[in-house]
Amino acid sequence: MAPIIGIDLGTTNSVVAVMDKTGPRIVPNSLGERLTCSVVGFTKSGEILVGKKARRGAIMNIGRTVFSIKRHMGTNFRVRIDEKEYTPQEISAMILQKLKQDTEEYFGEEISQAVITCPAYFTDSQRQATKDAGEIAGLTVRRIIDEPTAAALAYGLDKEKDQTLLVYDLGGGTFDVSIIEIISGVFRVMGINGNTRLGGDDFDQRIVAHLVEKFKEEHGIDLADDAIAMQRLKEVAEESKIELSEVNESHILCEAITMSEKGPLTLETTLTRSTLEKLIKDLVESTRSPIDMALQDAGITTSQIDTVLLVGGSTRIPMVQRLVKEHLNIAPHRDISPEEVVAMGAAIQTDVIAPIGAELEDSLAAPYDKEKMVVIHMTPFSLGVGLENDQLGAIIERNSTYPTEAKDIFTTTRDFQEAISFPIYEGESPIASENTFLDLLRIEGITPAPRGVPRIEVTFHLTPDRILEARAEDLATGQEKKITIQATSAKLSDAEKQRMITDAKNRVTAMLRSRVADSIEHEAQETINRLDAVLRAQPDNALSKELKTNREKMRKALTDRRDEDLEDLTLEAMRLLAQVEAMSS
């Protein structure tokens, strides 16, 4: 049976993991690499590239390559390529589709189900968009799980000691901090905070701005006006940042980065670790407040933290590690890959949802009893409805565990109302309009009565994926209205989603056809080469005429890309070549 896969859908890189008899393990992509770049490129010929190919081609594909789409999930942001617009869900689905295809090739069977992770501080609309992306990619999304919680699952899988864990998750585009208590296999989230607009991309941008300024001072030319130069700077900035996690100086060289009246100009400089730290100091320092707020929500102090787990590639930066150690007065735990731990936790969650099978379960190497494993999640945002005078009536309070259900009674504000609308918001301000608007719940058919008489019960249900479902019921008549919340700005209609799913399937079909065609054409060219070699060695062979005729037909079919004819002609050529070989022996 095909496994359910765990996917860490990252801003910069994405990772796939599965559970087997030894526990969670990473599934390599088609290049044999454990990380897949979360980059999508659109070539001028219409091909869609995902991963390293898209990243490598970005310089020559300016304006047609999409980076860091995760930062736009749950918004009305659109990518415009060749007069066509793509939503963040569609771009993310292309990444997920690539991960799905690579995993299918690895296992040799179709993959249809997944657990996908997202930042703990993602809003309802961002989580829904993540789930939509999975469905567009052809996956049944069994669960959306918070990245820090997934990391805690991976870390705590083989730990028998009860402890309180702080997960500091700083990735390419988002930052989360979660306080998680682990007691006898129960993982209870106690506090969450973060910033969905902070990550390694921001560090890279500081380096790019620094390089642009230095070049301008030296040559009087502003590289910010040159799209190709800026893409090259972005790449060297990230490479330099990564290098400076291991060394104190990084040599940066961009030959012929732009042209001047005197000819091409080269950018060459040295970036030191101390300069990098000055450039990003305020960004790194800004992570202190979310740590304190998460601790406050959890009702504990730093002295009560037993373990600090660093998650995300940006936590490899020495300055980040120093800040965490100094702020919490505890050395971070570093014996697990910060880039891979989230996907591994997602894989563990797949086994909790659907056991990997008794034959594997009995041989698990780690002390792992999924019957006792329980994850108690917590929502970092209040959910409520807008009331008269723009007040927020909270129904599910911040820091509530989920899945959960809560309800409240409301009434009309005008005499003989026959309908009532409840704008639904997510956030902490007592002023409704200052929070994030999610959707509108409207119930009609209320029995006309003086204001204040009707009793309308509004129920909020928060699913295990932390996606909100709302229901309004007129208690007098039983009339009700139900909706699953989707942020209006990012909402996909059923028709839009189905169109995207169809487009995604067509892309897979086209890709598979292309692969088959490439294989046929490659084999045909190899056969033509063999025919050439035989005709050169034996020009007067009894079969020379047939060999030449077959070769020319193959060349014509190859030029015209008639793959069906190529297959038949290749078989005919192989028959003739076998006859020549038999005659020679």
Side-chain angles (χ1 to χ4, degrees):
M1 186 177 74
I4 304 175
I5 59 175
I7 300 176
D8 173 12
L9 180 61
T11 306
T12 308
N13 295 296
S14 295
V15 189
V16 177
V18 295
M19 282 293 286
D20 66 13
K21 63 182 180 181
T22 63
R25 65 183 174 95
I26 303 299
V27 179
N29 61 25
S30 59
L31 299 176
E33 298 171 342
R34 296 165 75 87
L35 307 182
T36 297
C37 300
S38 301
V39 182
V40 177
F42 298 79
T43 68
K44 292 180 181 178
S45 64
E47 186 180 3
I48 296 176
L49 306 176
V50 179
K52 185 172 281 188
K53 278 187 177 181
R55 186 185 179 104
R56 284 177 174 170
I59 291 176
M60 303 308 296
N61 209 20
I62 296 297
R64 308 176 69 85
T65 304
V66 186
F67 295 85
S68 305
I69 194 64
K70 183 175 177 178
R71 283 193 157 186
H72 300 288
M73 293 295 275
T75 73
N76 59 3
F77 176 83
R78 296 292 185 270
V79 175
R80 190 172 184 83
I81 307 288
D82 296 333
E83 305 305 314
K84 182 176 180 180
E85 290 189 339
Y86 297 89
T87 66
Q89 293 97 313
E90 285 179 281
I91 300 296
S92 295
M94 293 172 188
I95 299 168
L96 290 169
Q97 202 169 39
K98 164 69 172 169
L99 300 174
K100 178 178 183 290
Q101 290 165 3
D102 286 356
T103 307
E104 287 174 339
E105 288 182 10
Y106 184 83
F107 285 105
E109 55 186 327
E110 184 179 0
I111 300 296
S112 61
Q113 301 182 73
V115 168
I116 303 177
T117 66
C118 73
Y121 222 57
F122 255 21
T123 63
D124 184 274
S125 59
Q126 290 170 309
R127 301 174 82 87
Q128 182 66 59
T130 303
K131 190 170 186 179
D132 286 345
E135 292 173 358
I136 293 166
L139 292 165
T140 299
V141 182
R142 295 291 300 273
R143 186 67 47 84
I144 298 292
I145 182 173
D146 293 347
E147 290 165 0
T149 304
L153 285 172
Y155 166 79
L157 177 64
D158 59 352
K159 306 294 188 298
E160 296 180 336
K161 177 186 174 183
D162 294 342
Q163 58 186 296
T164 300
L165 183 69
L166 184 145
V167 181
Y168 182 101
D169 184 353
L170 183 61
T174 60
F175 170 64
D176 279 320
V177 58
S178 294
I179 314 296
I180 300 172
E181 181 183 63
I182 307 174
I183 299 178
S184 301
V186 176
F187 291 71
R188 182 169 73 92
V189 180
M190 302 168 66
I192 298 174
N193 214 284
N195 182 352
T196 58
R197 302 290 294 178
L198 175 66
D201 284 356
D202 302 288
F203 301 161
D204 298 344
Q205 191 53 46
R206 291 290 177 87
I207 299 172
V208 169
H210 171 72
L211 296 175
V212 168
E213 186 61 31
K214 282 183 70 69
F215 193 84
K216 189 174 182 180
E217 289 175 1
E218 185 177 351
H219 299 287
I221 296 176
D222 189 355
L223 294 177
D225 298 327
D226 186 334
I228 293 178
M230 290 299 286
Q231 180 58 41
R232 291 181 66 186
L233 288 183
K234 184 178 184 299
E235 292 187 3
V236 298
E238 184 179 7
E239 291 169 2
S240 182
K241 176 193 68 178
I242 293 171
E243 188 177 358
L244 287 171
S245 292
E246 302 294 333
V247 299
N248 290 317
E249 289 188 355
S250 174
H251 180 245
I252 295 175
L253 176 65
C254 287
E255 295 182 320
I257 193 166
T258 192
M259 293 293 293
S260 70
E261 294 177 356
K262 297 179 181 179
L265 296 176
T266 293
L267 183 150
E268 184 171 13
T269 187
T270 296
L271 183 67
T272 65
R273 183 183 290 180
S274 61
T275 299
L276 171 63
E277 292 182 350
K278 289 176 184 176
L279 293 173
I280 66 174
K281 182 178 180 181
D282 63 311
L283 298 176
V284 176
E285 287 288 330
S286 72
T287 66
R288 291 183 187 268
S289 178
I291 293 174
D292 293 337
M293 293 176 72
L295 288 167
Q296 182 179 327
D297 287 343
I300 63 174
T301 64
T302 56
S303 63
Q304 292 170 277
I305 297 294
D306 298 302
T307 306
V308 175
L309 185 62
L310 297 181
V311 177
S314 296
T315 62
R316 292 190 182 276
I317 297 173
M319 185 182 193
V320 172
Q321 296 174 4
R322 289 200 310 272
L323 178 138
V324 173
K325 183 177 180 180
E326 171 201 321
H327 196 74
L328 297 169
N329 196 30
I330 182 173
H333 182 82
R334 298 181 62 187
D335 67 351
I336 191 166
S337 169
E339 292 92 351
E340 298 177 356
V341 63
V342 169
M344 293 170 69
I348 293 169
Q349 181 68 42
T350 70
D351 189 36
V352 174
I353 292 172
I356 60 178
E359 73 283 358
L360 297 180
E361 181 182 334
D362 293 340
S363 59
L364 278 173
Y368 169 51
D369 187 349
K370 64 177 169 292
E371 299 300 327
K372 294 181 180 179
M373 181 178 284
V374 177
V375 181
I376 302 174
H377 301 280
M378 187 182 78
T379 175
F381 305 107
S382 296
L383 294 157
V385 297
L387 305 176
E388 201 173 19
N389 301 322
D390 200 22
Q391 298 300 298
L392 180 71
I395 295 178
I396 294 180
E397 299 283 353
R398 177 172 174 263
N399 294 340
S400 297
T401 59
Y402 67 90
T404 188
E405 187 170 283
K407 57 188 66 176
D408 204 349
I409 303 293
F410 299 92
T411 190
T412 53
T413 57
R414 299 191 309 274
D415 291 336
F416 307 113
Q417 263 182 259
E418 296 184 11
I420 185 170
S421 297
F422 296 97
I424 299 174
Y425 293 94
E426 181 177 54
E428 305 314 311
S429 174
I431 307 302
S433 59
E434 293 181 355
N435 296 296
T436 301
F437 173 71
L438 296 182
D439 214 328
L440 188 69
L441 175 63
R442 179 175 174 83
I443 182 170
E444 300 177 343
I446 299 172
T447 302
R451 65 179 181 175
V453 172
R455 300 176 74 241
I456 310 299
E457 182 179 75
V458 175
T459 302
F460 279 8
H461 174 67
L462 208 55
T463 72
D465 293 325
R466 214 181 86 202
I467 291 172
L468 182 62
E469 297 171 347
R471 181 178 75 250
E473 180 182 359
D474 181 353
L475 296 180
T477 65
Q479 180 77 15
E480 69 173 21
K481 173 66 175 179
K482 298 179 182 178
I483 59 171
T484 297
I485 305 304
Q486 295 174 310
T488 301
S489 61
K491 187 173 182 178
L492 297 178
S493 68
D494 290 341
E496 285 178 309
K497 189 185 292 186
Q498 189 55 52
R499 189 263 304 166
M500 293 175 187
I501 291 171
T502 301
D503 286 349
K505 287 180 179 177
N506 290 341
R507 282 195 300 273
V508 172
T509 301
M511 182 204 68
L512 292 175
R513 284 176 180 167
S514 177
R515 285 185 182 178
V516 170
D518 286 348
S519 177
I520 291 170
E521 291 164 17
H522 175 76
E523 187 175 0
Q525 186 59 59
E526 290 292 311
T527 305
I528 289 171
N529 293 341
R530 287 180 62 195
L531 289 170
D532 286 342
V534 168
L535 287 167
R536 282 195 301 271
Q538 304 178 40
D540 297 322
N541 188 287
L543 294 173
S544 292
K545 185 177 180 180
E546 289 182 72
L547 291 172
K548 288 178 181 178
T549 300
N550 182 272
R551 181 185 62 183
E552 295 313 309
K553 286 182 178 179
M554 288 185 70
R555 283 176 174 167
K556 182 70 167 60
L558 191 59
T559 301
D560 296 341
R561 298 182 68 88
R562 297 196 311 270
D563 293 326
E564 289 184 9
D565 291 347
L566 268 180
E567 283 188 281
D568 292 339
L569 289 166
T570 300
L571 288 173
E572 175 63 15
M574 288 180 176
R575 183 185 67 78
L576 292 170
L577 288 167
Q579 285 185 251
V580 172
E581 188 175 328
M583 290 165 56
S584 300
S585 60

